Amino acid sequence: MKKNIFEYRDYKIYLKDFISSRPRKGHGIQSQMAEQLNCHSAYITQVLKKNAHFSLEQAESLNTFLAHNSEESNFFLLLIQVGRAGTKQLKERLLDQLKNILEKRQVLKERFSGKNILEPSDQMTYYSEWYYSAIHILISIPEFRTKDSIANKLGLTLEKVSSILEFLQSIGLVVPRGNQYEFAGNDFLFLGADSPLLPRHHSNWRIMAINALSRAENKDVHFSTVVSLSKSDIQKIKEKIISEIESSRTIIRNSAEEELYCYNLDFFKIGN
């Protein structure tokens, strides 16, 4: 399993964890790394266990070996520079750069490539109630493409469903085909943290989550807990959560449309 480099502040710990995570606990990996760097494997051991450091040129070569993407490669090079920094002032400057990268990654709008194709006036309606997005996505499932099937599935009146479908059709998110409708919203609709509609959107679906608690469905997963933890670990958990969201989106994007689910995640500071 590939290690998430953004959870690390020390490139040596990252490399050690990468090696140990490989089959047979990484047996032979250091030799492969040495071959990539055109050096002796003893040098790899010296770097990982002593005060020696890889050069930036070697780090760039390791980026290829580790199959880093562009963002991961830049972060890895920065971790190397932090490790090599010879003065406290330089190290602090480099750590500030790390902090800025990590803070930017925690802004979901910066991480996700989806775009919001709705006009502001249409956003006001679409995010006003849960059933607009629910019906929009439900139509992607073949068995729920008629007004009757949608109304029965969501417990809404035919009049309400007809009104919502008319709106979704007017903004190009569904297309009528006889007495059925087809999903046309190929772009991922996303509200940034700066949108005034975001609190309402989150509230709508968290209310639905609360309602789901009364059903006690075995298929559902609900988890709430209060924890105390270090400030450094807060950032690590945020990174894990956002990485999991990215991973889940990839699975969802390639998944067949069969069931309608809501995916809510909360992780926030309590008090001032």
Side-chain angles (χ1 to χ4, degrees):
M1 180 178 178
K2 185 176 181 180
K3 293 296 180 180
N4 185 351
I5 192 172
F6 299 103
E7 296 175 13
Y8 292 84
R9 305 298 174 265
D10 186 320
Y11 80 90
K12 295 186 180 183
I13 296 177
Y14 167 68
L15 290 175
K16 289 176 183 177
D17 285 353
F18 168 80
I19 292 170
S20 63
S21 69
R22 308 306 293 171
R24 297 191 300 165
K25 296 185 178 180
H27 179 74
I29 295 295
Q30 287 193 204
S31 297
Q32 295 175 27
M33 292 172 64
E35 183 177 352
Q36 175 75 22
L37 299 181
N38 193 26
C39 67
H40 197 280
S41 60
Y43 174 71
I44 305 295
T45 301
Q46 184 180 18
V47 170
L48 295 180
K49 295 186 176 181
K50 298 184 180 181
N51 293 326
H53 291 284
F54 292 122
S55 67
L56 293 181
E57 290 77 13
Q58 289 172 325
E60 182 61 23
S61 185
L62 282 174
N63 274 328
T64 301
F65 178 81
L66 296 165
H68 287 158
N69 60 31
S70 178
E71 193 177 9
E72 291 168 336
S73 295
N74 291 335
F75 195 81
F76 184 65
L77 289 173
L78 192 52
L79 286 179
I80 295 286
Q81 292 178 69
V82 170
R84 292 177 58 86
T87 66
K88 180 180 179 181
Q89 184 177 5
L90 175 58
K91 188 167 187 174
E92 288 179 349
R93 180 181 296 276
L94 294 169
L95 287 172
D96 280 341
Q97 293 181 33
L98 284 179
K99 181 180 177 182
N100 290 336
I101 291 173
L102 293 170
E103 287 178 349
K104 186 176 181 180
R105 282 181 59 80
Q106 289 173 11
V107 178
L108 294 181
K109 187 166 64 173
E110 299 289 340
R111 294 279 290 272
F112 299 156
S113 59
K115 56 184 179 181
N116 193 325
I117 62 174
L118 301 183
E119 295 295 329
S121 58
D122 295 329
Q123 289 181 23
M124 292 289 291
T125 300
Y126 186 89
Y127 293 106
S128 64
E129 299 288 351
W130 65 270
Y131 38 68
Y132 286 97
S133 56
I135 290 178
H136 172 208
I137 303 303
L138 184 62
I139 287 175
S140 67
I141 303 175
E143 64 186 284
F144 299 109
R145 291 180 175 170
T146 65
K147 293 180 180 180
D148 286 335
S149 61
I150 294 170
N152 291 333
K153 174 70 171 177
L154 300 180
L156 299 172
T157 65
L158 280 174
E159 182 180 8
K160 172 63 72 175
V161 170
S162 296
S163 174
I164 295 168
L165 286 172
E166 183 177 340
F167 167 74
L168 294 175
Q169 180 183 343
S170 72
I171 62 175
L173 294 182
V174 301
V175 177
R177 293 283 187 267
N179 68 336
Q180 296 189 350
Y181 290 83
E182 291 184 0
F183 181 78
N186 294 324
D187 289 307
F188 176 66
L189 300 183
F190 186 81
L191 279 177
D194 55 347
S195 172
L197 300 174
L198 193 63
R200 180 62 180 269
H201 176 54
H202 285 316
S203 296
N204 286 339
W205 284 107
R206 277 154 182 78
I207 290 172
M208 294 297 289
I210 292 172
N211 292 338
L213 288 170
S214 63
R215 297 199 311 261
E217 286 275 355
N218 290 332
K219 293 181 181 179
D220 294 344
V221 176
H222 298 282
F223 179 76
S224 298
T225 187
V226 177
V227 299
S228 61
L229 69 169
S230 69
K231 292 181 178 179
S232 61
D233 284 339
I234 290 172
Q235 202 164 37
K236 291 179 183 178
I237 290 179
K238 286 182 179 179
E239 178 61 37
K240 282 183 177 293
I241 290 173
I242 297 175
S243 294
E244 177 58 30
I245 293 173
E246 289 181 313
S247 176
S248 296
R249 286 187 64 219
T250 300
I251 294 172
I252 292 167
R253 188 181 299 113
N254 299 319
S255 181
E257 292 81 7
E258 296 175 350
E259 294 282 359
L260 189 66
Y261 265 70
C262 176
Y263 184 6
N264 286 340
L265 277 175
D266 301 285
F267 180 68
F268 55 92
K269 182 179 179 179
I270 299 175
N272 297 323

